[in-house]
Amino acid sequence: MNLKDKVAVVTGSTKGIGREIVMEFARRGAKVVISGRNEDRANQVCEEIKRSGGIAIPVVVDVSNLEDAQQLIDKTIEQFGQIDVVVNNAGITRDNLLMRMKETEWDEVITVNLKGTFNCIKCVTRQMMKQRSGRIINITSVVGQMGNPGQANYSASKAGIIGLTKSVARELASRNITCNAVAPGFIETDMTGVLDEKVRENLQNQIPLGRLGSVSDVARVVAFLAGDDAGYITGQVINVDGGMVMA
């Protein structure tokens, strides 16, 4: 699927799923904006894309801050003159059992995951409406659909993203702007890489396909939603979970 000359912003794209999404976009010809809070990692990803012949810029911001989110959008427009795709991937975890969860652990997760997604959508909407086109793709999670012990904050933030996705899809459809969500299940990342063998086995037993997913499994679905072939899809949640929620 060709994304040549599309301009794509991917938040939280210095590692993990976000990094693979921005790399996938670059491989398909998109001009990409790498966004995160770690300047060194953002520059590293940017240089890797450039060495492969791609076009990329890093923008170091904290999307939980509305002014930073606006700066991300403004710098993208200043550099490329348009924004075709925004992928809201930035997210954190602060896992704890509900009775032990601190107010700060709740607030931090909601602020980054949910408010950060809202901020970027709010800031890009004017440009996309002016263009009368755009793709907004929000990264949610299966735990936003089914819950997870020890992740009340994270589950709530990801469930909120689903509701936000559907509302935005309805508001912006008349301007040819789509808004969809992708819900990964258990994916091989740095976080799952530290799990011991017994925990991994228990996780895999919950997945009908019998394995954890890869970051490329998620990135390819996001790339599809960013392309022209997905122009009649909006307000949807696409699960990339090996059948986990189905089970």
Side-chain angles (χ1 to χ4, degrees), residues 106-118:
W106 174 271
D107 289 345
E108 286 173 7
V109 170
I110 296 297
T111 299
V112 173
N113 298 7
L114 182 55
K115 185 185 176 187
T117 299
F118 161 79

Side-chain angles (χ1 to χ4, degrees), residues 29-246:
K31 302 170 185 175
V32 295
V33 179
I34 299 121
S35 171
R37 294 187 290 187
N38 187 299
E39 185 174 4
D40 288 341
R41 285 203 300 259
N43 287 331
Q44 184 179 18
V45 175
C46 184
E47 288 306 312
E48 187 174 343
I49 289 171
K50 287 181 177 179
R51 284 196 301 270
S52 299
I55 299 173
I57 62 167
V59 180
V60 179
V61 293
D62 178 356
V63 294
S64 67
N65 181 292
L66 183 61
E67 290 183 0
D68 274 24
Q70 187 63 62
Q71 182 183 357
L72 173 62
I73 300 307
D74 289 345
K75 284 190 174 182
T76 302
I77 296 169
E78 180 182 328
Q79 180 72 27
F80 297 118
Q82 66 190 63
I83 301 180
D84 301 293
V85 184
V86 169
V87 181
N88 291 299
N89 171 74
I92 62 170
T93 57
R94 297 288 185 268
D95 295 352
N96 213 338
L97 294 175
L98 182 62
M99 289 183 65
R100 297 176 183 171
M101 187 173 289
K102 299 174 184 176
E103 184 179 8
T104 54
E105 292 173 330
W106 174 271
D107 289 345
E108 286 173 7
V109 170
I110 296 297
T111 299
V112 173
N113 298 7
L114 182 55
K115 185 185 176 187
T117 299
F118 161 79
N119 284 345
C120 290
I121 294 173
K122 177 179 173 64
C123 292
V124 81
T125 294
R126 186 179 300 276
Q127 176 67 25
M128 286 187 170
M129 290 180 72
K130 180 181 175 182
Q131 296 171 178
R132 299 191 70 87
S133 68
R135 299 277 190 272
I136 299 169
I137 304 162
N138 302 321
I139 305 302
T140 179
S141 170
V142 292
V143 302
Q145 299 168 304
M146 58 188 283
N148 200 34
Q151 289 193 313
N153 48 4
Y154 187 75
S155 299
S157 72
K158 294 300 187 177
I161 286 173
I162 291 173
L164 175 62
T165 297
K166 292 178 180 292
S167 296
V168 171
R170 289 184 180 276
E171 284 195 26
L172 301 183
S174 65
R175 296 299 183 98
N176 194 36
I177 301 166
T178 67
C179 185
N180 293 288
V182 173
F186 290 116
I187 305 298
E188 294 275 11
T189 63
D190 291 343
M191 284 190 293
T192 57
V194 299
L195 299 175
D196 64 45
E197 200 58 39
K198 187 173 181 180
V199 173
R200 288 178 66 88
E201 186 178 338
N202 288 337
L203 289 179
Q204 288 174 186
N205 288 338
Q206 301 176 49
I207 303 169
L209 285 180
R211 66 172 178 86
L212 274 64
S214 70
V215 289
S216 61
D217 289 328
V218 180
R220 286 191 293 263
V221 173
V222 174
F224 166 71
L225 290 173
D228 294 339
D229 289 349
Y232 200 55
I233 300 172
T234 197
Q236 303 304 306
V237 181
I238 312 297
N239 284 71
V240 185
D241 64 2
M244 184 178 169
V245 168
M246 172 189 70

